[in-house]
């Protein structure tokens, strides 16, 4: 993803928020046949406070993604809120349609986990999503037994990625006047044909942060 200084995201806390809220990621790697993209749920490493992520892939995706090959990079892409921006929302000015979005790209050489650590990552993944339910079921909840869970683990490869390259972009109409940004947020909130409250909320968050920073500098 080409970086644009006007839209760059660099704050680690904000990057962690975007990753945490959008765990369904795209993994891009390569083998001798070329590049492959796969899709998995990826989480922030619960034992770290940086941008390290953990996850797993099913066999044989580890081979086509090049996991475990020395110096073979993996790219993990997190897609935040995004959506169409109509030119009419800019008012009576020359304008073209565009697409607002938030995206985070993490690249680095992944560490392949042993079986026990992979089990911990799988358990963390299950707990993360099950805890939203009234009666969560963990990895070890009956009728799951140890033999079943071990067979499940054996069919996966766990990994940890501490990125050596981070490219993150938040293209949310920052290059437009305040009144236009406010109107785009309003339209995204009330458009009955294509409502996009998630993108409106992301734009509001970014715009309010800019206004606060501007006030501090005044």
């Amino acid at each position: 993803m080409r970086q644009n200084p006007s839209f760059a995201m660099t704050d680690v806390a904000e990057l962690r928020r975007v990753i945490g809220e959008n765990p369904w990621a795209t993994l891009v790697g390569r083998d001798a046949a070329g590049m492959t993209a796969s899709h998995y749920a990826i989480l922030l490493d619960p034992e770290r406070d940086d941008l390290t992520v953990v996850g797993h892939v099913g066999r044989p995706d580890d081979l086509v993604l090049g996991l475990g090959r020395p110096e073979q990079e993996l790219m993990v892409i997190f897609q935040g809120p995004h959506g169409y921006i109509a030119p009419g929302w800019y008012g009576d000015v020359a304008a073209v349609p565009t697409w607002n979005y938030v995206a985070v790209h993490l690249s680095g050489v992944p560490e392949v986990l042993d079986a026990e650590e992979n089990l911990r990552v799988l358990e963390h993944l299950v707990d993360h999503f099950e805890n939203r339910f009234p009666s969560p079921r963990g990895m070890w909840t009956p009728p799951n037994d140890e033999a079943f869970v071990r067979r499940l683990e054996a069919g996966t490869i766990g990994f940890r990625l501490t990125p050596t390259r981070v490219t993150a972009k938040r293209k949310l109409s920052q290059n437009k006047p305040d009144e236009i940004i406010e109107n785009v947020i309003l339209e995204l909130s009330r458009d009955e044909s294509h409502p996009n409250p998630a993108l409106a909320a992301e734009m509001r968050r970014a715009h309010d942060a800019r206004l606060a920073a501007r006030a501090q500098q005044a």
Side-chain angles (χ1 to χ4, degrees), residues 45-69:
D45 188 332
E47 299 180 357
R48 303 280 291 270
D49 58 4
D50 57 7
L51 298 177
T52 298
V53 294
V54 291
H56 75 283
V57 301
R59 300 175 189 267
D61 274 8
D62 58 313
L63 301 179
V64 298
L65 292 170
L67 295 187
R69 295 175 59 190

Side-chain angles (χ1 to χ4, degrees), residues 16 19-20 41-56 113 117-128 131 159-162:
R16 285 176 58 86
I19 292 170
I42 305 295
L43 301 178
L44 290 161
D45 188 332
E47 299 180 357
R48 303 280 291 270
D49 58 4
D50 57 7
L51 298 177
T52 298
V53 294
V54 291
H56 75 283
L113 306 179
E117 195 161 15
N118 186 30
L119 269 177
R120 288 196 292 273
V121 168
L122 291 171
E123 188 169 6
H124 172 53
L125 184 73
V126 171
D127 289 346
H128 177 83
N131 283 338
F159 69 90
R160 174 182 292 107
L161 177 71
T162 300

Side-chain angles (χ1 to χ4, degrees), residues 149-182:
V149 173
R150 293 284 177 178
R151 288 196 302 272
L152 174 69
E153 185 282 324
T156 69
I157 295 291
F159 69 90
R160 174 182 292 107
L161 177 71
T162 300
T164 53
R165 290 188 296 119
V166 178
T167 305
K169 186 180 289 189
R170 178 160 52 189
K171 178 181 175 293
L172 299 175
S173 303
Q174 299 98 312
N175 56 339
K176 301 297 181 183
D178 290 346
E179 61 272 17
I180 287 181
I181 295 174
E182 293 288 353

Side-chain angles (χ1 to χ4, degrees), residues 54-113:
V54 291
H56 75 283
V57 301
R59 300 175 189 267
D61 274 8
D62 58 313
L63 301 179
V64 298
L65 292 170
L67 295 187
R69 295 175 59 190
E71 301 182 2
Q72 177 62 60
E73 278 196 333
L74 179 72
M75 178 182 288
V76 183
I77 301 172
F78 297 91
Q79 178 69 67
H82 62 93
Y84 179 75
I85 305 300
W89 296 348
Y90 292 156
D92 190 19
V93 297
V96 296
T98 190
W99 202 275
N100 278 2
Y101 64 92
V102 178
V104 179
H105 294 191
L106 308 180
S107 299
V109 178
E111 168 196 357
V112 174
L113 306 179

